[in-house]
Amino acid sequence: NGLSGSLGAVWIPNDDWTLGLVASRSIKLPNAEELFSNGPHLATGTFETGNPDLDRETNLGVDLSLRKRTGRLTGEVSVFRNRFDQFIFDRFTGEVLPGEEEGGGLRVLQFSQRDAEFTGAELSGVFELFHGEPHHWDAEFGADFVRAKFTRGGDLPRIPPARYRLALHYRGDRLQGKIEGQKVAEQDRVADLETKTDGYTLLSADVSYRFLVGSSVIDLLVRGTNLTDELARNHVSFVKDAAPLAGRDVTVGVRLSF
């Protein structure tokens, strides 16, 4: 059993700004997989072993956020810090099962517990570049990062690197379009037996046009992702080296509303 709860407060000095503070205490109880796993997990290329001695995980967290709600610039920035007692995570033991039997050749993964600390920040916003009917131009932006380490030293495994996003968005009567770039930094803060992951930049775009036919609405959609065909790997994936993110992709679709 465990008792979780949170308490928050919001200060609204005027119509433009709000400042929020949330303090929380949460309990996570180990699940069946973390306690009793003992077999291959082919989707992650691992052999998972549980730990029946796992205790409950306790988290004390604080989140402070500042939000701008009106005007040409709107958005939110928040910072957080979480302190975990007995954080449950899965770690590589360094053992690889030999042989041709079930699970042979898979890296052994063991569920464990250690005290840990998470510190991070998030930013998101929209800046109105031009608004005059029927044309609307916005710049959208965002960023986030998290630093996670064990209390007694060392980095946690599979922690996402810092990410930055910038997009230009157009909206009209019939036509809409968006072009977006995302920069993902290198992740070189890695745990034991974990490899670094190179950073990458992804470019995507989409455009749609609306046709009115009687009482029906037809939207023609075109979307392209990873337009530069960048080789990108997701650091939090167990199979990042064998299965990178998808390359260039273009999708065309039609949506009918009636």
Side-chain angles (χ1 to χ4, degrees):
N1 59 68
L3 177 64
S4 300
S6 63
L7 180 65
V10 178
W11 180 44
I12 309 175
N14 52 50
D15 292 337
D16 289 337
W17 298 90
T18 63
L19 181 66
L21 178 66
V22 177
S24 62
R25 177 184 185 270
S26 61
I27 301 295
K28 176 186 179 302
L29 306 177
N31 59 38
E33 290 77 10
E34 294 164 341
L35 292 169
F36 307 121
S37 289
N38 186 32
H41 188 173
L42 299 182
T44 60
T46 61
F47 189 97
E48 292 184 349
T49 55
N51 183 353
D53 295 325
L54 291 178
D55 200 354
R56 65 181 187 176
E57 170 190 296
T58 303
N59 171 36
L60 296 177
V62 176
D63 189 308
L64 179 66
S65 61
L66 177 66
R67 178 179 298 176
K68 189 174 187 301
R69 303 185 296 172
T70 60
R72 294 186 64 186
L73 175 64
T74 58
E76 181 177 5
V77 58
S78 62
V79 294
F80 63 88
R81 183 173 178 84
N82 292 274
R83 171 69 183 263
F84 291 87
D85 290 332
Q86 299 285 57
F87 180 75
I88 299 174
F89 67 103
D90 40 10
R91 63 176 181 86
F92 287 115
T93 65
E95 180 185 3
V96 179
L97 295 184
E100 299 297 330
E101 70 277 2
E102 184 182 21
L106 301 180
R107 301 171 69 187
V108 176
L109 201 64
Q110 171 74 58
F111 287 98
S112 306
Q113 282 187 303
R114 287 180 64 181
D115 295 344
E117 297 176 347
F118 286 66
T119 304
E122 298 179 357
L123 169 69
S124 62
V126 176
F127 183 72
E128 297 179 355
L129 298 173
F130 176 80
H131 278 257
E133 293 295 342
H135 306 292
H136 304 274
W137 291 88
D138 295 324
E140 303 173 4
F141 57 90
D144 62 82
F145 88 93
V146 60
R147 176 80 168 92
K149 61 181 180 179
F150 296 113
T151 303
R152 296 186 179 181
D155 295 300
L156 272 74
R158 294 173 298 282
I159 298 301
R163 299 178 296 181
Y164 312 91
R165 181 178 65 88
L166 182 63
L168 180 64
H169 190 189
Y170 169 77
R171 300 188 308 277
D173 279 344
R174 302 283 186 91
L175 180 67
Q176 289 197 45
K178 183 178 181 179
I179 183 168
E180 178 179 320
Q182 183 183 58
K183 171 66 177 178
V184 179
E186 175 191 22
Q187 181 56 286
D188 56 3
R189 297 181 182 274
V190 294
D192 294 338
L193 304 176
E194 184 183 22
T195 59
K196 299 179 181 180
T197 304
D198 293 335
Y200 56 88
T201 301
L202 297 180
L203 180 66
S204 63
D206 60 76
V207 62
S208 65
Y209 191 84
R210 173 163 291 184
F211 299 91
L212 302 178
V213 181
S215 60
S216 300
V217 177
I218 301 175
D219 291 307
L220 177 63
L221 314 168
V222 181
R223 177 169 179 80
T225 57
N226 194 4
L227 294 176
T228 60
D229 204 25
E230 179 96 349
L231 177 62
R233 302 184 188 277
N234 182 5
H235 181 74
V236 304
S237 171
F238 285 99
V239 295
K240 64 174 185 176
D241 295 323
L245 298 179
R248 183 186 298 114
D249 178 77
V250 177
T251 303
V252 178
V254 178
R255 181 173 57 221
L256 172 63
S257 304
F258 56 91

